Each structure stands twice: as C-alpha cells, then as structure tokens.
C-alpha cells in the first residue's frame, strides 16, 4: 500500500465560490484564534497550550461563534492541528515562530479522514461533494494512480484565482516480486548515478545510458532577472505604510511569477523525461510532451547512493573562496531536482512491486573506487577529474559511468574491495532491526518485507503531485 497525493482542479459555480471563500475565511480566523490563544496563555499565565486542549474547547468555541456550526468538526480539528504542526516545527528549529495569517496567505482547509466529503470519480473527471457546505463541485483532472481516497485538502491559489482538491489516495501495490533470494532477477537491476554535468548515468550490467542535463533554469534565468529588476523599479505595496501597489508593479509582478512558474513546470517535465529513460523507455525529446505511459519496464530494482542534497546545496560560508563554485554546483543540482527525482523513482518502482536500494556513500565511495580492482583514488573525488584511469589495473572510463558501475557491482556483491563483507564492516544488515537501507542484494528479500510493512499507511507525498 502506497499513499499518493493527487490534485484536481475544481470548477465551482458562482454561488459555490461564495461558500468556499466563506469557509476559507472561517478557517483562517480559527487558525489565528488558536495562535492567539497559545500566545496569550504563555505570555500571561506561562502555560503552554497543546493540541488536545484546543480540540476540547472547540465545542465551546462553536457555541460562541455559531457560524462554525455549519463546518465539519474534523475539518476544524484539522485547522487546529495546523497550528500545532507550525508550533512543533518551530520548536524543532525548522521554521520561524508561527505568525498570524492574513487571508491572502491562507490556502484552505483539510478533511483529515474519509468522512464529511465524497469524491465521485475513478481517477478522472468527476465531482467533489462537501457535506458541510452542501455543495457538489465539478472537478477535472486525471490521476496517474487511483485507489481509495483517504483525506482531502481544499486549496485556493490567489494568484491563479483557482480552486483545487488535493486528495490522498491509498494505492494497492502488487505483491513484492522478491520474496526470497532465489527470486532475484539480476537482469532487472539498474544502477544510476546522479551528477551535475550528465544529469543521470545508468548501468544495467551490460549497457550504459547517459542523459544530459538540460539546464533550462539557466536559459530562463536572465529573463527572470530582468523581470525582477523591472519590478523593483515600480512602486511596491507596503501594508504598514498603507502604500498600494501601482498598476505597473502589478503587471511586472505578474510577468515575474509567470516566468517562475514556467521554470517550475520545465523542471517537472524534465524529471518525467529522466524517469522515462531510467525505466528503459525511449525518452521523448520534446520536453513539453508530457510523459503518460505507465511504467511497465524492464527494471525492478534501482540502485543508487544515499544523497545528502541538503548538505550539497547548503550555502557556502561567507567569504569562502569556493563561493562561486558552490553557487554553480547548487544551481545544477536544483535544476535536476535530485530529491524529488529519487522520491519519484522509488515510488514508481515500488508501485510495480520493485525496490530501490540506497548504498552507503561514505563506505562505498563510488566516485573514488575502481570498479575492476577496487582501489581507492582520492584525487578522483575532485569534480574536475572527468575521466578516470586506474594506476593499478589500467581501467579507464568517464567519471559518472565509473560510479554507476561501482554501485551496480556493489549491489550484486561483486565489487572488489567492498564485496560481501558488509556485516564485518558494520553496515546495517538485514539482521539488525534498525536497518532501513542495506547494501547488498543478498539482504534484499528480507528488506523488502520490512519495507512493505513500514510503508503501510505512511503519507508519503511525491512532489510530482504537489499542487502547483
Ligand atoms: Zn583498478
């Protein structure tokens, strides 16, 4: 069972729109009220208010403001929960202190369970029924995978002036093909290396496949820069000083957001093209032709290294000599969108009963190891070394291909210098309970079984389907 998010566009009638806007404003006011309540209790009484405290006073709140009686109670709880989540991520140091939200920044509300709403669709166009607002809205869109709808978030995008239904669905995953070691089919393994020059290099034991990074962000970047400059020259709004934006500023602002959207869409398209070729299909060269085919492919097992894109894209320290270099690297990494690519890959392979292995980069050192004799060459790690020649066995190959090959070998337990002694080296193995990702193919069977259990009910949200 995999949980995926699917987004549909809503087409409410004029009167339905009024109801939606009204509900949104009520949820926004509730959000701010919860926030004010927490702040006040802390400031005056030094008392911290939790989610349950607020949930328990919701009935009293509704008695005071009867307009909330028309809204579904779990959706109100969902809004209270949003405040709780904002506080929690603040306490973890992930976000700033939660602020009061203006209606402009308030996107919508959530129905956290299956009750209170109904979707009449089998993954294609249909209608959405909201019980509390007593409306049935026309809905358009097409889900790539459809299953049992579990939660609904109603989203309004002010810039587009459009409404969306973001629905999480539980999709059945076929029985894992690899129940035991003897089931493993070595022909369906593909190792892939994500790089900055070549976006992706794959190796399936006999064949390499390289896909170049398109770098569209770079093509559009000058346009975005000019648009931003253009905008800065116009009179911007300032709510504190009650300055309204000039109509020229609005126009420039619109132009800028159009370019931003375009960059985002291009990146998404590119990821689809990448995915397609990764799964052994012929990639369509026209970037804007959307990938629609289902991924019944020749590979069931993907192998890659554990990437720390967060660390890789971190800003260089102030005054660092590597600053410019780092900026360039960051841009290419973000162009490809490594994180979401990895996510897309793993859920697509999982959807057809396959699996993705993440090899431990630090121990395996795929970018420094010779695939033939296993010797570690420290200077290979330098990004400017594009072509590798082994001084021990004479093996020669380009950088990205070498890494893909090392990872392929390691997954099959055939990599010299790394090979089968994973347990001795203290890597997570299938026998240790904490193991999530293992290194070797032999540990695959058990790992898959663990994985299918743990992925049950998790609300993984592939960015592919995130609205916008
Ligand atoms: Zn060698």
């Amino acid at each position: 069972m995999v949980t995926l998010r699917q987004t549909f566009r809503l087409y409410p009638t004029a009167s339905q729109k009024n109801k939606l806007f009204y509900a949104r404003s009520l949820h926004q006011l509730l959000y701010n009220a919860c926030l004010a309540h927490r702040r006040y209790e802390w400031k005056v009484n030094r008392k911290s208010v939790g989610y349950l405290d607020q949930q328990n006073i919701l009935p009293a709140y509704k008695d005071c403001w009867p307009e909330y009686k028309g809204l579904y109670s779990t959706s109100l709880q969902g809004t209270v929960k949003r405040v709780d989540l904002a506080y929690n991520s603040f306490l973890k140091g992930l976000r700033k202190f939660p602020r009061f939200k203006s209606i402009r920044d308030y996107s919508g509300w959530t129905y956290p369970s299956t009750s209170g709403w109904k979707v009449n669709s089998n993954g294609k166009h249909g209608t959405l029924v909201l019980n509390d607002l007593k409306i049935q809205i026309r809905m358009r869109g097409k889900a790539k995978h459809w299953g049992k709808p579990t939660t609904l978030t109603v989203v309004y995008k002010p810039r587009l002036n459009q409404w969306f239904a973001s629905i999480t669905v539980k999709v059945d995953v076929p029985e894992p093909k690899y129940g035991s070691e003897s089931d493993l089919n070595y022909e369906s393994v593909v190792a892939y290396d994500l790089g900055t020059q070549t976006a992706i290099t794959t190796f399936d034991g006999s064949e390499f496949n390289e896909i170049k990074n398109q770098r569209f962000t770079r093509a559009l970047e000058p346009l975005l820069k000019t648009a931003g400059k253009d905008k800065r020259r116009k009179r911007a709004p300032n709510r504190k000083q009650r300055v309204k934006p000039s109509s020229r500023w609005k126009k420039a602002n619109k132009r800028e957001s159009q370019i931003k959207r375009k960059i985002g869409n291009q990146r998404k398209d590119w990821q689809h093209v990448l995915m397609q070729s990764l799964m052994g299909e012929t990639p369509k060269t026209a970037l804007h032709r959307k990938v629609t085919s289902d991924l019944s492919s020749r590979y069931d097992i993907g192998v890659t290294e554990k990437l720390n894109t967060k660390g890789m894209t971190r800003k260089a320290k102030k005054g660092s000599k590597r600053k410019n270099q780092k900026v360039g690297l960051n841009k290419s990494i973000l162009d490809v969108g490594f994180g979401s690519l990895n996510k897309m890959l793993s859920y697509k392979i999982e959807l057809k009963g396959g699996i993705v292995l993440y090899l431990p980069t630090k121990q395996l050192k795929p970018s420094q190891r010779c695939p033939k004799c296993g010797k570690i060459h420290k200077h290979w790690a330098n990004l400017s070394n594009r072509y590798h020649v082994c001084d021990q066995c004479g093996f020669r190959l380009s950088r990205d291909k070498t890494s893909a090959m090392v990872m392929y070998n390691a997954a099959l337990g055939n990599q010299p210098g790394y090979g089968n002694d994973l347990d001795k080296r203290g890597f997570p193995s299938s026998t240790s309970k904490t193991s999530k990702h293992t290194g070797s193919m032999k540990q695959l069977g058990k790992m898959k079984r663990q994985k299918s259990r743990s992925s049950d009910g998790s609300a993984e949200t592939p960015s592919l389907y995130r609205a916008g």
Side-chain angles (χ1 to χ4, degrees), residues 88-352:
N88 284 344
S89 39
F90 162 70
L91 293 174
K92 277 183 203 155
L94 298 171
R95 268 164 58 171
K96 285 185 183 170
F97 190 74
R99 290 197 301 181
F100 292 114
K101 290 205 176 198
S102 76
I103 192 71
R104 270 181 226 88
D105 306 325
Y106 207 79
S107 61
W109 64 97
T110 301
Y111 298 83
S113 69
T114 50
S115 55
W117 58 285
K118 198 176 167 237
V119 54
N120 299 314
S121 159
N122 41 18
K124 273 189 171 180
H125 316 314
T127 55
L128 177 74
V129 180
L130 300 179
N131 293 352
D132 51 355
L133 305 183
K134 298 185 186 68
I135 50 176
Q136 176 162 345
I137 315 169
R138 227 153 47 83
M139 185 180 94
R140 285 184 73 81
K142 194 181 165 200
K144 273 210 170 155
H145 305 282
W146 192 247
K148 194 174 161 268
T150 48
T151 75
L152 164 74
T153 302
V154 180
V155 179
Y156 175 67
K157 296 204 164 180
R159 283 205 172 179
L160 303 170
N161 190 20
Q162 288 170 358
W163 288 88
F164 296 90
S166 177
I167 301 168
T168 55
V169 286
K170 275 200 170 160
V171 181
D172 273 327
V173 178
E175 276 294 298
K177 293 177 186 171
Y178 304 102
S180 69
E181 268 175 44
S182 54
D183 294 344
L184 296 179
N185 174 11
Y186 281 27
E187 275 166 24
S188 71
V189 181
V190 62
Y192 60 98
D193 179 62
L194 303 172
T196 51
Q197 286 291 314
T198 336
I200 197 152
T201 309
T202 69
F203 183 61
D204 62 1
S206 58
E207 231 173 73
F208 286 104
N209 191 7
E210 280 182 299
I211 303 140
K212 294 267 181 272
N213 190 350
Q214 295 270 327
R215 304 204 169 186
F216 15 67
T217 323
R218 289 210 178 154
L220 280 175
E221 227 159 54
L223 282 179
L224 184 64
K225 219 172 171 181
T226 356
K229 211 184 211 172
D230 210 40
K231 186 175 126 183
R232 261 172 278 130
R233 290 205 179 107
K234 315 279 191 281
R235 193 182 71 205
N238 188 330
R239 250 173 273 149
K240 270 185 193 159
Q241 290 169 20
R242 301 204 175 166
V243 179
K244 279 188 178 168
S246 69
S247 61
R248 284 161 194 239
W249 183 90
K250 279 186 195 161
K251 233 174 166 178
N253 188 36
K254 204 173 169 187
R255 214 156 33 227
E256 191 195 40
S257 57
Q258 270 171 352
I259 299 173
K260 273 186 188 161
R261 200 155 53 234
K262 206 169 171 182
I263 292 176
N265 286 342
Q266 283 187 341
R267 190 174 293 165
K268 232 186 263 170
D269 283 0
W270 173 230
Q271 287 172 356
H272 277 286
V273 173
L274 273 181
M275 280 301 307
Q276 219 188 9
S277 36
L278 202 66
M279 307 301 284
E281 291 169 20
T282 334
K284 288 171 182 156
T285 39
L287 203 59
H288 289 277
R289 230 179 296 153
K290 287 265 192 283
V291 175
T292 46
S293 60
D294 69 334
L295 296 148
S296 55
S297 68
R298 18 178 219 185
Y299 302 124
D300 297 327
I301 301 159
V303 180
T304 189
E305 58 182 316
K306 226 176 172 179
L307 267 178
N308 176 13
T309 28
K310 231 180 202 167
M312 281 162 90
T313 56
R314 202 181 295 140
K315 274 185 191 164
K317 276 178 197 154
K318 244 187 181 174
S320 157
K321 274 180 193 166
R322 289 182 56 228
K323 200 170 178 185
N324 282 336
Q325 191 190 339
K326 191 101 186 177
V327 166
L329 183 66
N330 280 351
K331 281 219 176 100
S332 333
I333 289 172
L334 298 175
D335 273 5
V336 193
F338 279 166
S340 51
L341 200 66
N342 259 340
K343 253 190 210 163
M344 267 170 74
L345 179 83
S346 46
Y347 90 81
K348 279 195 175 166
I349 289 190
E350 228 176 90
L351 271 177
K352 60 189 195 76

Side-chain angles (χ1 to χ4, degrees), residues 370 373 390 393:
C370 169
C373 69
C390 178
C393 70

Side-chain angles (χ1 to χ4, degrees), residues 176 178-181 355 444-454:
Y178 304 102
S180 69
E181 268 175 44
I355 190 171
L444 201 70
K446 231 173 196 175
M447 182 184 144
K448 178 66 207 175
R449 285 194 291 279
Q450 279 179 355
K451 204 174 167 162
S452 61
R453 233 177 290 135
S454 69

Side-chain angles (χ1 to χ4, degrees), residues 11-26 71 103 109 130 133 135 137 156 161 163:
Y11 292 86
T13 62
S15 70
Q16 288 175 341
K17 252 185 208 171
N18 286 340
K19 283 186 174 178
L20 288 173
F21 276 125
Y22 185 57
R24 170 171 164 255
S25 70
L26 288 180
L71 296 182
I103 192 71
W109 64 97
L130 300 179
L133 305 183
I135 50 176
I137 315 169
Y156 175 67
N161 190 20
W163 288 88

